[in-house]
Amino acid sequence: MKANKKKVGFIRRSNKETHVAISLCNLIRRRKGSISDRLSELPNDLLLNILEKVGTLDAIRTCILSKRLQKLPTMLSQIVIDLSPRDLFEMDGVVAEVTDKILSTRSPQITVHKLKLKFFLVPSRCLSIGKSVGLAMVTQKLDAAEFEIMTQKDFSHCTDAHRLLYAKKFNDFVRDCPDAFAGLTRLHLRNMRFGKSDISNILSHCKRLEFLSFFECDEGVRSVLHVEHAQLVELVIIFGKFETVELACLPKLQRMIYRDWQYDDNPLVLGFVPQLSKLSLACPYFSGKTLNLSKLLANAPTVSDLYLEFRSEKIWIQPECSKVLAPVLAKLRFVNLDHLPEECDISWTLFLLEAAPYLEELCITVWDHKCRIESQKSVSKKTDVKWEPSDPHFKQKNLARLTIYGFQSDDNFIGYVRRVIQAAANIREVSLHARKVCPLCFEKFPQAAVRPSSYPRTSEEFGLLREKMTAASATASPIIHFRS
């Protein structure tokens, strides 16, 4: 989304702190003698602070070097086993073994603030992990628990038969370990085709669940997902064959990400979602259907952060007049429009500026990203979106920042920036970036034509463009940055 905005969730330590901790632990393991003896003299609080920065498996490897250190893994307040798929294959049984050993030997007086486990959907090992975590849920203090469940075949090699099998294995896992799932707060699932009402049953077991992610999951082709949950805060759905996702009753939902839906008739229905503030939608556009924000957000006028990605294909949002849209965009503060096709006029995006009186930041990325499979198919002819403002002289008093990636020195972009500056009386900053570059595009599609760039390069060009874009504004005088 926006690079300058804070991510919601667990506080992440800085990369510098983590790097220092990892380097220290590596040094200790290489030079076992005097360094590990000196480390043993440090207070437990400081040792635990170092160990919790490196991941649980690295912490255990480090603590093997000293008798005093060997008890520290059972005192960790964060237990994180998050290996890459390759490492997970090589260390298949380690996650279950380590989880059981740490949770079964720790003091129930020490709170586990974060438990995160990534593991393969192998019934015997899942059962071991589930039983260990379930017992900890009942006998210990555990603030947050997260399962990321991998399948042995990735999505590109999964058949429908595989997805049905994986869903059955997961349903058995939930049934056999009810205590673990009753206390789970975050769950990631992938490559599963459930039966009708399976997902509702899973949600009824996961009473504390705050985060749920589906990747290539559904309940069958053109199935309807009906979601109700009292605690869910964030929902992520990527791919899958749902015809409609209906968020029926999610009183605490704040963030929703939905990408790559397959059917355009009615992909998302927002019901009772009174706290929804961030909505992210991304999909290519191959049919003749468009979404109306006035209808989509009719029950969610609380959205303040809107991200729409178009995969360099046709635009699937229908511009609407401000009178219709204004009631549902009253709280909108941030808009990010990503991967707009390069050959299209971008002036249609001003309908959001006109209809959202409190919009503060608008970011637009114009880019024909060749790595996108859809861009190579050329299924739909990309055409301009037609829009005219309800009031050609409309004013917007709260927009402070406009950012454009893929800016070019042509009438399309120059006229757009000039129009925004005229409308946004209090705009402070305009950042104009050159077209994004993806090295993989050149490797995968060397024959693909690259549009010549007209991005300004000299100080004289910068000055001339600033003058063109601000000359017509009698009030606003924003700082205009050219960031190549």
Side-chain angles (χ1 to χ4, degrees):
M1 300 282 286
K2 303 175 186 62
N4 62 328
K5 297 195 73 182
K6 295 180 180 178
K7 291 185 177 181
V8 179
F10 292 110
I11 298 174
R12 296 182 178 178
R13 297 173 178 85
S14 71
N15 291 334
K16 184 177 180 181
E17 287 178 334
T18 302
H19 178 72
V20 170
I22 291 172
S23 299
L24 178 59
C25 288
N26 288 338
L27 180 62
I28 291 165
R29 291 201 293 270
R30 287 197 303 269
R31 301 176 61 183
K32 299 179 183 178
S34 59
I35 294 180
S36 62
D37 291 339
R38 292 179 185 177
L39 190 70
S40 298
E41 297 173 2
L42 296 174
N44 280 351
D45 288 351
L46 181 55
L47 288 170
L48 289 168
N49 186 268
I50 293 171
L51 294 173
E52 287 183 347
K53 289 181 171 68
V54 301
T56 301
L57 294 182
D58 282 330
I60 291 172
R61 294 188 191 102
T62 302
C63 291
I64 289 173
L65 303 176
S66 164
K67 285 186 177 180
R68 182 186 167 224
L69 295 180
Q70 286 175 13
K71 67 179 181 180
L72 291 181
T74 63
M75 300 169 64
L76 293 169
S77 66
Q78 297 191 50
I79 301 168
V80 178
I81 304 178
D82 187 6
L83 300 173
S84 69
R86 177 178 294 181
D87 289 341
L88 210 53
F89 268 117
E90 293 175 356
M91 305 173 68
D92 197 19
V94 170
V95 180
E97 183 181 341
V98 170
T99 301
D100 179 62
K101 188 164 186 177
I102 290 180
L103 292 179
S104 63
T105 56
R106 64 184 289 114
S107 167
Q109 304 305 316
I110 301 174
T111 301
V112 179
H113 295 299
K114 177 182 179 181
L115 171 68
K116 179 179 180 180
L117 304 175
K118 181 192 287 187
F119 52 93
F120 279 110
L121 188 61
V122 177
S124 59
R125 296 195 174 102
C126 287
L127 188 62
S128 173
I129 292 170
K131 294 298 184 184
S132 299
V133 173
L135 183 61
M137 297 282 189
V138 174
T139 61
Q140 301 182 35
K141 299 175 182 177
L142 211 164
D143 289 344
E146 178 174 358
F147 284 172
E148 183 172 352
I149 300 176
M150 309 291 288
T151 56
Q152 289 174 308
K153 288 190 178 293
D154 65 24
F155 77 98
S156 61
H157 295 95
C158 265
T159 64
D160 288 346
H162 288 127
R163 294 187 181 93
L164 288 167
L165 177 61
Y166 292 144
K168 182 183 182 305
K169 288 182 178 181
F170 181 75
N171 283 332
D172 292 343
F173 183 22
V174 175
R175 181 199 64 210
D176 293 339
C177 301
D179 290 337
F181 284 92
L184 205 64
T185 54
R186 295 175 66 88
L187 177 61
H188 306 252
L189 299 178
R190 62 183 62 217
N191 306 325
M192 298 182 191
R193 172 152 291 173
F194 294 98
K196 187 176 181 180
S197 77
D198 279 353
I199 293 176
S200 294
N201 291 335
I202 292 166
L203 288 172
S204 67
H205 279 88
C206 302
K207 300 185 186 303
R208 290 186 60 203
L209 201 64
E210 296 176 2
F211 172 94
L212 177 61
S213 173
F214 289 128
F215 181 90
E216 198 71 77
C217 295
D218 54 52
E219 290 184 330
V221 176
R222 287 194 172 272
S223 53
V224 175
L225 177 63
H226 183 89
V227 189
E228 294 187 22
H229 196 276
Q231 301 298 323
L232 201 64
V233 175
E234 184 168 358
L235 177 61
V236 178
I237 301 175
I238 301 174
F239 293 114
K241 296 286 178 36
F242 295 116
E243 181 171 16
T244 300
V245 172
E246 182 183 350
L247 308 187
C249 185
L250 295 166
K252 292 189 177 181
L253 189 73
Q254 296 176 21
R255 298 175 294 279
M256 168 71 183
I257 297 174
Y258 192 15
R259 297 182 180 177
D260 298 285
W261 56 84
Q262 302 292 307
Y263 308 104
D264 293 333
D265 290 340
N266 202 20
L268 180 62
V269 175
L270 301 177
F272 184 66
V273 285
Q275 295 190 44
L276 184 63
S277 60
K278 290 187 177 182
L279 180 62
S280 174
L281 303 174
C283 198
Y285 172 75
F286 295 143
S287 75
K289 301 285 186 179
T290 55
L291 293 183
N292 285 47
L293 289 177
S294 60
K295 180 180 178 182
L296 178 67
L297 301 178
N299 294 325
T302 52
V303 171
S304 61
D305 194 326
L306 182 63
Y307 174 89
L308 305 175
E309 194 206 327
F310 300 93
R311 302 292 165 86
S312 305
E313 292 290 342
K314 286 178 67 176
I315 306 303
W316 42 261
I317 287 292
Q318 178 63 47
E320 300 176 77
C321 73
S322 59
K323 289 183 179 180
V324 174
L325 263 184
V328 300
L329 301 186
K331 294 191 176 181
L332 192 63
R333 299 294 185 272
F334 307 99
V335 169
N336 193 335
L337 304 176
D338 204 359
H339 282 87
L340 301 180
E342 291 180 12
E343 64 266 44
C344 294
D345 189 347
I346 60 173
S347 63
W348 67 270
T349 63
L350 289 170
F351 86 96
L352 290 165
L353 184 62
E354 184 184 14
Y358 297 102
L359 187 66
E360 298 171 8
E361 293 186 22
L362 175 60
C363 179
I364 296 174
T365 299
V366 180
W367 187 20
D368 280 351
H369 191 177
K370 301 301 180 184
C371 277
R372 300 290 188 184
I373 297 175
E374 294 83 9
S375 294
Q376 303 307 310
K377 291 178 181 177
S378 299
V379 171
S380 54
K381 183 181 178 182
K382 302 164 192 175
T383 57
D384 285 339
V385 178
K386 302 302 180 183
W387 171 83
E388 289 296 332
S390 305
D391 176 4
H393 305 291
F394 78 89
K395 296 295 181 183
Q396 208 273 11
K397 298 180 180 179
N398 289 287
L399 189 74
R401 183 176 292 109
L402 170 67
T403 303
I404 298 179
Y405 291 90
F407 177 84
Q408 300 294 299
S409 301
D410 59 26
D411 292 342
N412 182 21
F413 289 94
I414 295 171
Y416 181 83
V417 175
R418 183 168 57 237
R419 198 168 184 182
V420 170
I421 292 174
Q422 287 177 321
N426 297 309
I427 190 168
R428 298 193 301 269
E429 181 180 350
V430 176
S431 294
L432 305 175
H433 300 252
R435 186 183 294 143
K436 290 184 177 181
V437 176
C438 173
L440 291 177
C441 286
F442 295 103
E443 293 179 16
K444 291 174 67 176
F445 308 107
Q447 76 288 353
V450 178
R451 292 174 182 274
S453 175
S454 61
Y455 189 80
R457 298 297 176 187
T458 67
S459 57
E460 290 181 355
E461 291 176 321
F462 295 157
L464 181 61
L465 286 174
R466 285 192 182 98
E467 185 177 340
K468 284 184 178 180
M469 291 184 288
T470 59
S473 175
T475 55
S477 55
I479 298 171
I480 300 179
H481 302 284
F482 292 92
R483 307 182 188 275
S484 59

